[in-house]
Structures are given as C-alpha cells and as structure tokens.
Amino acid sequence: MTRRLDLVMAATRILLENITYSEPVALQRYARQLARELTAWVIVDVEGGQRLRRQHVSGPEDQRSEKLANAVAAVDPEPGSGPYQVHESGSTLLIAHAEDPGALGNGPDGIPLLMQLGATSVLSVPLSDGEHAYGALTLARWAGHPHFEIADVGLVEELGEQLALAIRVDRMFRHRVDIADALQTSLLPRQVRQVPGTEIAAEHVSVASAAETGGDFYDVYPSRDGWGVAIGDVCGKGPDTAAVTAAARHAIRALAHLDADPAAVLRGINDIMLAEDFGGRFVTADAGHLDWRDGRLHLSLASAGHPGPVLLRPDGRTQVLDGGGLPLGIFPDAEPATQDVDLETGDLLFLYTDGLTSACGPDLVQFEERLTDALAALAGEPPAVLVSRVRDVVLELCGSELRDDMTMLALKVGDRPS
C-alpha cells in the first residue's frame, strides 16, 4: 500500500510539473514512470480528430525494447481492439491470462501486438474525468511477471482518472491562452501603420499571464482629413477588460472617420461607455489628429485621464504636452483636455501608458521622474531604436517586475510628402 501511494504521488508530481507546459512530454514521462514502477508495457491512447490515436508506448529500458515501443506507437488502435472498446464503453478491461493474441490489435505487418510485446496479461482503463472520455491507458505484462488481478484495477483506474484530469486542465488552459491571444490581436495591431511623412514604432510589454489579456491599446489610422493616433488603458485584467479595450479602440477608429476633432471622438466614446454596461470599467486615452499645414505636421491632441505625451526635439529638449481630463465611462459631459502643437522636421512625439511611468526601482523612485532625461539622451534616434532602448532601461530599473502593462508609441516627423 505504501509503495502504491508513493507511485500515485510521484505520478501526480509529474503531471503538475509538465502538463501545462507540454501535454506530449507529460504523457511520455507519466508512461515511463508507470512502466518502471509496475513492470509492464504502458500504452497511452488519446482521442484526436474523432478517432483514437496512439500517443506513447513505454516498456523495459533497453535498446531493443525502445525500438519495439516505437513500432507499437506507430500503430493507432483498431476498432474492436481492447483499448478501442475501453474508450468507447468507458469500462475497464481486465484480461488476467491473455489467450486471444488479437486483444491489442495487429501491427503493420499483421502480427498481433500482444505477441510482439510478449505480453500474457492485459489491463486497460478509460481515461475519463467522470464527464469526458479522453482515451485509454493500457498496461501489458510479459511472461515471467505476475498477472494483473482485481487488486490492480483500482490503482490503475485511479492513475487513469488522474491523467484524464490533467489532460482536461491542460486543454482548458490552452483554450484560455488561445482566447487571450485572439483578444490581444484585436487590441494591438500586428503592424503599425505609417503616416505619410513620418516614421512610427511601437512597443508593448505585458504583465498579464499567458491566459490573460491586459487593457492597453494603441492604434494609428486614417481619419477625416488626415490621420489619427490613439493610446489608452482600461482598468483591470482578463477577458472582460479585453472586450472593453477592443470596443474602445475600434470605436475611436470609427468615430475618427466621421469627425477630425479628437476631443469629439473621446466624447463619443464616453457616451457609448455610459450607455452600455461595461461592469463599471473606465478608460483613459490620448487621441490625436495629424495633418500637414504649411510644411509642418499639425497635431490636435485630446486627453481623457491619460498621461500627456512627450515632445522630443532633435537637440534633446523635451516638452510634456497636456494630459489630464476625466477618464471615459464615469461622468456624463466629461470634457477632454485639449492642446494644439505644430511639429517640425526631426521632432518626435512619444505616447505611453502609465505602466511605463509607474515602473519602480529599488530606490522606490518611479520611472516617471526619469522619463524626460531618458528621452533626451535618445534624441535623434529612430523611433524603433528609441522605444526599444526605453523598454530596456525600464526593465533594468525594475528588475523586469512591472506593475502594469507598458505600451509606447513613437512618431518622428520627416519631410512633408509631395
């Protein structure tokens, strides 16, 4: 009993350490552990593509057995074979003295697998968590070792249920990761659109786990009579937050086609958020409208509770533009803060979220106090180089322990397009 308890604990440890990293690796380590402890061939079959597929086979740890295991692993269970029947019925199959050589089906050469393995006793249990059937776990003992008995059934069924639960958790985790990836794709453009006469680059570092999505977003888009830029943040994490973030980003883009005034765009977002039920979440955002006027790039900027961008001149001088205003989705008739600026050739506009400025070093000084100096030291650099170096400086400062997602968007003015 003690040995069996040790086996269950060791098998559990393998699953906990590996299943959310790689299901195939976890199945392989699990099968090898059982093969050693139970002195048997271990065959794991898992349903995939509406059929049962052989995932792994383990047996004695010698070169000949490894080749045989690979040969058996290349053969999926046949309908009517023991593992196939166990999966279909959800019932355990115990063949204490295997007299039917076809109990495990045949190999590619037509020779029964039972004969190839030299097995004389078979125990096959369903991989089921009580709700879903994932396949079958089959043990086959060769001559010279004790035959499987009723006393073995409970242990192997427990091991099969344990493996099934681990598979279920892994697939749920993978599903959440896929959802998070899809949501994140809707929030952050795959490629930053370039405004004629400018060079633009962006950088995003998330603190969310693989299965979560942060609330930061940015966008560059054509707008009425010009171009628009936007950056923002939604309070919170998770799928609900991501839905609000996606709604805000796409609504900004849509409203900018109807009205060139970024303040009017943010007011429209505020009205939408107040009219809809977003669970009390709110958005901070900067939105700008860009158009060329007399050789200069004119920026109309509106801010709703978001940090003001930094204007970096070619000679290293910096100017923090007006931020402020009230966040979106809290108060009706909230007016964004506004400012108009003419950008000269060589000027760089740096927009960011508060994950950047709230990053804190061992001295408890936030990066906000170092932002303008860090940007001044990078005057003249291309946007892609600038955002990359700022990212590195921030991560070094906080030891890669960000408090919130960090997002940056840098736009450098070139010559007016013809």
Side-chain angles (χ1 to χ4, degrees):
M1 289 297 294
T2 301
R3 188 178 175 211
R4 291 190 173 197
L5 180 59
D6 289 343
L7 171 59
V8 172
M9 292 180 65
T12 302
R13 187 178 300 110
I14 287 174
L15 296 177
L16 291 176
E17 290 176 352
N18 291 275
I19 197 68
T20 55
Y21 170 72
S22 169
E23 181 177 313
V25 170
L27 294 177
Q28 182 184 75
R29 291 193 62 191
Y30 194 80
R32 287 177 176 174
Q33 175 80 10
L34 297 188
R36 283 194 300 267
E37 297 294 332
L38 298 176
T39 318
W41 289 97
V42 176
I43 304 171
V44 182
D45 299 314
V46 178
E47 185 180 43
Q50 297 183 338
R51 57 179 293 187
L52 201 58
R53 300 181 183 274
R54 189 138 290 157
Q55 296 296 307
H56 186 74
V57 177
S58 283
E61 295 180 348
D62 58 67
Q63 190 172 3
R64 178 183 176 278
S65 298
E66 184 176 351
K67 291 181 179 180
L68 180 55
N70 291 335
V72 175
V75 182
D76 288 336
E78 302 173 357
S81 65
Y84 199 96
Q85 293 178 17
V86 167
H87 173 60
E88 290 288 304
S89 66
S91 301
T92 294
L93 172 67
L94 170 62
I95 308 177
H97 300 274
E99 298 178 356
D100 178 10
L104 297 180
N106 297 324
D109 52 7
I111 300 176
L113 294 179
L114 198 68
M115 293 178 61
Q116 293 187 45
L117 296 175
T120 58
S121 184
V122 175
L123 174 57
S124 184
V125 301
L127 294 179
S128 173
D129 59 6
E131 296 182 15
H132 304 282
Y134 298 100
L137 172 65
T138 302
L139 278 63
R141 275 202 179 130
W142 53 92
H145 292 275
H147 294 273
F148 289 113
E149 302 174 348
I150 293 295
D152 298 308
V153 171
L155 171 64
V156 179
E157 285 182 339
E158 182 177 352
L159 293 170
E161 182 180 2
Q162 187 183 73
L163 183 55
L165 288 169
I167 293 173
R168 178 182 181 182
V169 169
D170 173 71
R171 294 183 180 181
M172 289 174 62
F173 178 80
R174 299 297 171 194
H175 182 61
R176 290 189 63 188
V177 169
D178 290 343
I179 292 174
D181 286 345
L183 287 171
Q184 195 68 54
T185 299
S186 73
L187 309 182
L188 305 176
R190 293 183 180 273
Q191 186 174 359
V192 181
R193 185 190 292 263
Q194 299 297 311
V195 174
T198 72
E199 185 180 355
I200 305 176
E203 188 77 36
H204 172 77
V205 181
S206 176
V207 298
S209 67
E212 294 180 332
T213 306
D216 283 10
F217 67 91
Y218 65 84
D219 204 1
V220 180
Y221 45 88
S223 65
R224 188 180 182 90
D225 303 321
W227 291 82
V229 294
I231 192 166
D233 187 10
V234 176
C235 66
K237 293 283 186 295
D240 292 342
T241 298
V244 178
T245 309
R249 178 198 164 200
H250 293 296
I252 287 175
R253 175 184 281 258
L255 292 174
H257 278 283
L258 304 176
D259 198 324
D261 181 8
V265 170
L266 293 184
R267 284 195 293 267
I269 302 299
N270 191 55
D271 292 341
I272 292 172
M273 293 192 65
L274 290 172
E276 300 292 334
D277 181 14
F278 287 122
R281 300 191 183 279
F282 61 87
V283 176
T284 69
D286 283 337
H289 178 264
L290 299 163
D291 65 293
W292 286 95
R293 301 181 185 179
D294 301 324
R296 296 177 176 178
L297 186 62
H298 182 78
L299 168 68
S300 295
L301 177 69
S303 180
H306 202 79
V310 178
L311 177 58
L312 175 62
R313 304 290 186 181
D315 59 5
R317 288 178 295 131
T318 60
Q319 177 188 353
V320 180
L321 303 183
D322 293 341
L326 294 174
L328 307 173
I330 301 178
F331 304 105
D333 303 323
E335 280 297 317
T338 60
Q339 185 175 5
D340 287 271
V341 181
D342 286 323
L343 307 178
E344 307 280 355
T345 299
D347 286 348
L348 185 142
L349 183 68
F350 182 80
L351 302 96
Y352 57 95
T353 58
D354 60 5
L356 174 79
T357 50
S358 65
C360 188
D363 55 3
L364 301 183
V365 176
Q366 294 185 338
F367 186 72
E368 182 176 12
E369 299 185 21
R370 308 180 186 185
L371 174 59
T372 54
D373 290 340
L375 291 176
L378 295 169
E381 295 287 359
V385 173
L386 183 138
V387 295
S388 177
R389 291 187 179 175
V390 171
R391 176 203 63 201
D392 293 343
V393 169
V394 173
L395 293 178
E396 182 179 357
L397 171 70
C398 67
S400 298
E401 294 292 334
L402 291 171
R403 297 180 176 182
D404 196 2
D405 291 356
M406 176 173 66
T407 303
M408 298 172 276
L409 183 68
L411 178 150
K412 189 172 185 178
V413 183
D415 296 326
R416 177 174 181 170
S418 58

